[in-house]
Each structure stands twice: as structure tokens, then as C-alpha cells.
Amino acid sequence: MPTPGVMDLIALLAFLALLFGLYVVVRVIRRAWDGGNSARVRELESRVRDLEDGR
């Protein structure tokens, strides 16, 4: 089995960078689609729990 060459390592790093880039793009699109509502929902749920606990 031949040892991986420098070009193979560069190709692997490029592939991993591409996957990471796609992951970041998907996260940004989901956040934009959501309109940031998930953070607001978590904040409101926290407030409701605080009110239920009598704080």
C-alpha cells in the first residue's frame, strides 16, 4: 500500500474544508430562515419557567 503523498493530503484537507463550509452555510441559512426565533423562544420559555417557579 503506497504512502499518501502531499497532494493526497492537500486533497483531503480541501475536501474537509468544503464540508465545513457547507455546514456553515447551512447553519447561516437555517438561522436566516428561522429569523432568529429560536433564541427568542428559548428566552420566553426561560421567563415562563421563572414565573412558574415564583421568581
Side-chain angles (χ1 to χ4, degrees):
M1 186 168 155
T3 59
V6 174
M7 291 303 292
D8 292 331
L9 293 176
I10 291 173
L12 177 63
L13 288 175
F15 178 70
L16 292 176
L18 178 67
L19 286 180
F20 181 72
L22 288 174
Y23 169 74
V24 169
V25 167
V26 167
R27 283 190 58 196
V28 168
I29 289 173
R30 285 182 63 198
R31 185 174 296 157
W33 183 270
D34 188 14
N37 286 335
S38 59
R40 281 186 236 136
V41 167
R42 283 194 300 272
E43 175 64 27
L44 289 173
E45 287 174 342
S46 173
R47 289 183 188 177
V48 168
R49 280 193 300 274
D50 289 345
L51 289 172
E52 289 174 344
D53 292 342
R55 294 185 202 171

